[in-house]
Amino acid sequence: MIALAKFAGKVPGWLYGTLLVCMLGGAGMLYQRALGNAQGRAAVQALWDADKKTRAAAETKAVAQRATENLAQARQQAAKAAAVTKVYDDEISDIRARLAAAERMRKPAFCASAGPAAPAGGSGAEGGAAVDPAGGLLPDAVARDIQALILQTEEVAATGRACQAFVLAQQKK
């Protein structure tokens, strides 16, 4: 400690002043750097926040636009589906009307009955058909079953045509 006091006595006074100014200058620079870092962080955070808001607004706008486009596309598809369904329904109703208006079905000539003939006094359509097996009428149950098969076949065909129309409408898009 005594050596330090002897050394301090040999150092000129202006050196102490210079050392004090350097220390205060260094402390000031450290303070300015800390202040600059804080300001820089605040500026970067402000830019980040502004970018986030801009992106969020753009994303919200894009979502709204997609929702509008999806709604328009759904309306178009619903209109096309309604048109295809209407054509299908019209076709099926025409077929049902044709089947309802059709005369009773007769046995074809190649379906001659091999069974015994019914008595001449037979009643109803079956009795008349049994009397004249080559050109007679089919029994009601058989005629209904055949008409049901015709209707089912026409419904399947109409469904296929409706599907084909839908696919063609999609390809024209």
Side-chain angles (χ1 to χ4, degrees), residues 28-46:
M29 287 195 299
L30 288 175
Y31 174 76
Q32 284 297 321
R33 179 175 175 134
L35 189 61
N37 284 345
Q39 287 176 346
R41 283 190 192 108
V44 168
Q45 187 65 43

Side-chain angles (χ1 to χ4, degrees), residues 106-113 133-135:
R106 297 189 173 274
K107 292 180 186 176
F110 63 85
C111 289
S113 175

Side-chain angles (χ1 to χ4, degrees), residues 3-97:
L4 189 60
K6 283 184 185 179
F7 179 71
K10 293 182 181 178
V11 176
W14 61 267
L15 192 56
Y16 287 118
T18 306
L19 184 61
L20 181 64
V21 169
C22 285
M23 288 184 68
L24 287 176
M29 287 195 299
L30 288 175
Y31 174 76
Q32 284 297 321
R33 179 175 175 134
L35 189 61
N37 284 345
Q39 287 176 346
R41 283 190 192 108
V44 168
Q45 187 65 43
L47 289 173
W48 178 269
D49 292 342
D51 186 51
K52 278 178 40 177
K53 286 180 184 178
T54 304
R55 286 178 188 232
E59 185 176 322
T60 303
K61 183 179 176 183
V63 167
Q65 183 178 0
R66 280 193 304 266
T68 303
E69 290 170 358
N70 289 345
L71 182 61
Q73 186 177 18
R75 286 182 181 154
Q76 286 176 348
Q77 288 176 348
K80 287 177 184 177
V84 168
T85 303
K86 183 182 180 323
V87 170
Y88 171 82
D89 290 341
D90 291 345
E91 190 173 338
I92 294 300
S93 65
D94 289 345
I95 292 168
R96 287 176 194 245

